[in-house]
Amino acid sequence: MTVYRRPRALREGDRVAVLAASSPVNQVQLDLGLRALEEIGLKPDTFTSARDTGSDFDYLAGDDALRATDLTRALSDPAYAGVFLAGGGYGMQRTLERVDWTRIDPLQPKVVVGYSDVTALLEAIAVKLGWVSFFGPMVACNGFYQGPGRYDFDFLTNLLFKPETVTGLTFLDGQAVVPGVAEGITLGGTATLLAASLGTDTSLPARGAILFLEDVDEELFRLDRIITQLRRSIYTDGVAGIILGTFTDCGEPREVERMLVDRLSDLGVPVLAGADIGHGIAQQTYPIGVRARLDASAGTLTFLEPVLA
């Protein structure tokens, strides 16, 4: 089983990088999110990409070179204890084509946080650097920019500053689609991005993993196609267990659930649905690259090691 390097926990006074490696972000919300970081004692440096409002294509935060340069610098500069993505959208796959991984020291892991399109980056970090990372709220997005007192923000900051106090995740609305207990490394994220990475040098198959899946704004037949693609590739071969988060605006919820059960319940592993992680919900942060135990019947994910050093 691969052992991923754990970044150290964040401390008051740490410098952190804030950038956009995908789409442009709302600048008002970005400023609020930066203020929230300062409220908890961090010193955010705002990179050029986070301020680009679509100078190349309106759906990209600057050109590919800008985003990749910002990301490479943030991951490689030892001055930064963490890298916080400002938002998702589209563009991370293009950014990853340009990242210079040789400039980044895999022995110096740092906290990296984001979700949605950032799934591709978290997967790449696991493959290229062997770091633990975090599928969690982003600086200019709902759940973060409101700052302390917001569930998403408080859960994330507690995990990053006091990791010893967070020993797992409890899913109060979870339902055991397939009951059982499984152990493995936590992997996954937004299903569309996992499927888009198949066949690239940053794809990480889920063999022996506790695989988390969620998505947003996909019609039911498209979501079916994505899950089916993951099945037909080697991606889900040997998966240990599955956690299903939100599937926001992906069709009528009962039909989405029926399709997911149809596509995933025959894999012979525990499957938990209804996890409060993903789009459109006050979410818990899901670490990537941590040994954990899933108990689908109890609705719990227990970390078998600290998520940070």
Side-chain angles (χ1 to χ4, degrees), residues 26-36 38 51 139-140 145:
N26 181 299
Q27 295 296 298
V28 173
Q29 293 177 187
L30 174 62
D31 287 335
L32 291 172
L34 293 170
R35 189 181 308 164
E38 292 171 345
R51 292 299 186 189
V139 179
Y145 73 81

Side-chain angles (χ1 to χ4, degrees), residues 6 11 27 38 58 73 99 138 173 188 208 231 238 257 274 279 299:
R6 294 171 296 145
R11 298 189 289 257
Q27 295 296 298
E38 292 171 345
D58 61 6
R73 176 188 159 206
V99 172
M138 298 179 286
D173 295 323
R231 280 183 60 113
E257 181 179 356
H279 294 77

Side-chain angles (χ1 to χ4, degrees), residues 77-141:
D77 190 336
Y80 298 114
V83 179
F84 288 78
L85 280 298
Y90 170 77
M92 184 61 77
Q93 295 284 357
R94 293 178 59 141
T95 303
L96 290 176
E97 283 189 311
R98 301 282 195 103
V99 172
D100 184 356
W101 297 103
T102 65
R103 287 184 51 196
I104 306 164
D105 185 354
L107 299 180
Q108 299 295 322
K110 58 185 66 182
V111 166
V112 181
V113 184
Y115 75 108
S116 195
D117 199 51
V118 182
T119 294
L121 172 62
L122 305 183
E123 189 177 31
I125 284 172
V127 172
K128 295 291 189 178
L129 303 174
W131 295 357
V132 168
S133 60
F134 298 90
F135 186 97
M138 298 179 286
V139 179
C141 296

